[in-house]
Each structure stands twice: as C-alpha cells, then as structure tokens.
Amino acid sequence: MENVRKQSRFVLAAASLFCASVISVGLLGACEKSVPTASDSNADMVIENIMTRTSIRAFTDQPVDTATVEKILRAGMAAPTAVNKQPWAFVVVNDRQQMERLRQVHPYAQMLKTAQLAIIVCGDMERALSGFAQAYWIQDASAATENILLAAHGLGLGAVWCGVYPNPDVLPKVKEVLGLPSNVIPLNIIPLGYPAESPAPKDKWKPENIHYNQW
C-alpha cells in the first residue's frame, strides 16, 4: 500500500512539473510574440517607403476618396517649420476643368490629364517670418511637400512634384487660375492618383557627396 502511495505522489509531482513547464513555455512564447523584432520594426517600413518612392506621371481612373486626401494633407502639415510658423496653405483641385486649366498654363504638368486630383502647396506671406527669414517659407513648404509625396506612396498612390515658384512664366498664371490672393505664393503642383506605371526608383546614393566636419 505504501508503494502505491509513493507511486501516486510521484505521478502527481511529475504531472505538476509537466503542467508548469507547459505554462512556462506558453508564457514565454506569448512574451516572445509581444516583443517586436527588428524585422517587424516600423523603422524598416519607414526607410523602405522612402527608398522605394519615385515620381509617377501616369494614373488610372480609380478615384481617390476624401479620407485618403485628408490623411495626405495631415502628413503634409506634420512637417517642421521655422519657429513653428506653419506659413503654408494647400489648394486641393479635383474639378476636371480646373485641372485642365492648370495643365494649360504649366508645360511640365501634363500628367494632370490623367491625375485624379492635384494639391498645390503654397506659402502664405502673412504667416511667414519677417525680414530675410521670410524666405524660410520655401523650406517649410518643401518639407510639407516631401511629406505629401511619401504619404501618397505609403498609401499606394503615386505623385510627382511639379515646381511653380520661382518660374516667372508659370507662377502668375497658376495664381490667376486658382484665384490666389497677393500674399499667397504657389510653390508647386502635385498631381495625385493611383499609378498606371511602376518605374524603378533611382539609386541616388553617392558617398562622394558626403563630407564630415568640413569640406
């Protein structure tokens, strides 16, 4: 009888140890799954989005919904600005006739013919800094433009940067088409839409362009 009791205690102990091991392995597995690895890192996706973005000049007829446009504009307004002045303004053009007017006055924005919409990134001089620092609006609006391009790419859209400022032939015509007040300067036109082409991104890495500490 004593042997039976000993065997029973041994079986119970072994079973308890087995259960504890299973629970430990399960918890460990759960912990491992909850901790992101390098391959899951958002940083990798950010770098990938930057490195694979390229200019798109042909678009499908698939419409771009309002919510997606707002996401892109929010990304644009998340850009840094000098003294946080945010001297930018954005004109969204999705009327086909208005897009055609822009195409007629900008010889290098012919892709507007197939784009679903365009975002014109502008600088508002009434919100810009004064004196020589007023020119910082160009950097601010350019940072917003790059955010827009990257956000569009990340959302599966295509876009291209068509410069307006400081072209003396194009700038006043774009202002006229959009009815911009005198204090608002259009920096560029960004045609947007779902890509109808897939050009390979250009490899622009050139170590010879890098200098440390001095030239």
Side-chain angles (χ1 to χ4, degrees), residues 14-120:
S16 299
L17 181 60
F18 175 76
C19 290
S21 299
V22 170
I23 292 171
S24 298
V25 171
L27 289 173
L28 179 60
C31 291
E32 287 177 345
K33 289 179 181 178
S34 65
V35 177
T37 62
S39 60
D40 297 328
S41 171
N42 287 335
D44 290 340
M45 292 188 291
V46 170
I47 297 300
E48 179 72 9
N49 191 56
I50 293 171
M51 301 304 292
T52 58
R53 190 216 65 81
T54 188
S55 296
I56 298 297
R57 296 177 173 84
F59 307 93
T60 70
D61 58 2
Q62 181 180 348
V64 181
D65 62 77
T66 303
T68 298
V69 175
E70 182 175 317
K71 284 182 182 179
I72 293 171
L73 291 171
R74 284 178 176 272
M77 294 186 199
T81 64
V83 199
N84 196 32
K85 294 294 285 186
Q86 304 176 36
W88 47 43
F90 305 87
V91 180
V92 179
V93 177
N94 54 16
D95 177 80
R96 183 52 59 188
Q97 291 184 344
Q98 188 74 327
M99 291 178 68
E100 179 60 23
R101 293 187 190 101
L102 287 173
R103 189 176 76 86
Q104 292 296 328
V105 301
H106 198 313
Y108 305 111
Q110 297 307 298
M111 63 287 297
L112 286 166
K113 187 172 184 178
T114 59
Q116 288 299 301
L117 70 140
I119 297 175
I120 296 82

Side-chain angles (χ1 to χ4, degrees), residues 112-186:
L112 286 166
K113 187 172 184 178
T114 59
Q116 288 299 301
L117 70 140
I119 297 175
I120 296 82
V121 182
C122 306
D124 185 346
M125 298 307 101
E126 290 185 354
R127 286 186 283 156
L129 294 166
S130 58
F132 76 89
Q134 185 185 64
Y136 285 143
W137 78 266
I138 301 169
Q139 298 181 41
D140 298 340
S142 294
T145 298
E146 183 66 9
N147 275 15
I148 287 171
L149 296 175
L150 291 171
H153 178 55
L155 292 168
L157 282 83
V160 59
W161 183 329
C162 301
V164 174
Y165 178 88
N167 190 318
D169 296 322
V170 174
L171 194 152
K173 295 174 182 176
V174 170
K175 282 179 67 76
E176 182 180 359
V177 169
L178 297 176
L180 299 179
S182 59
N183 58 291
V184 175
I185 303 174

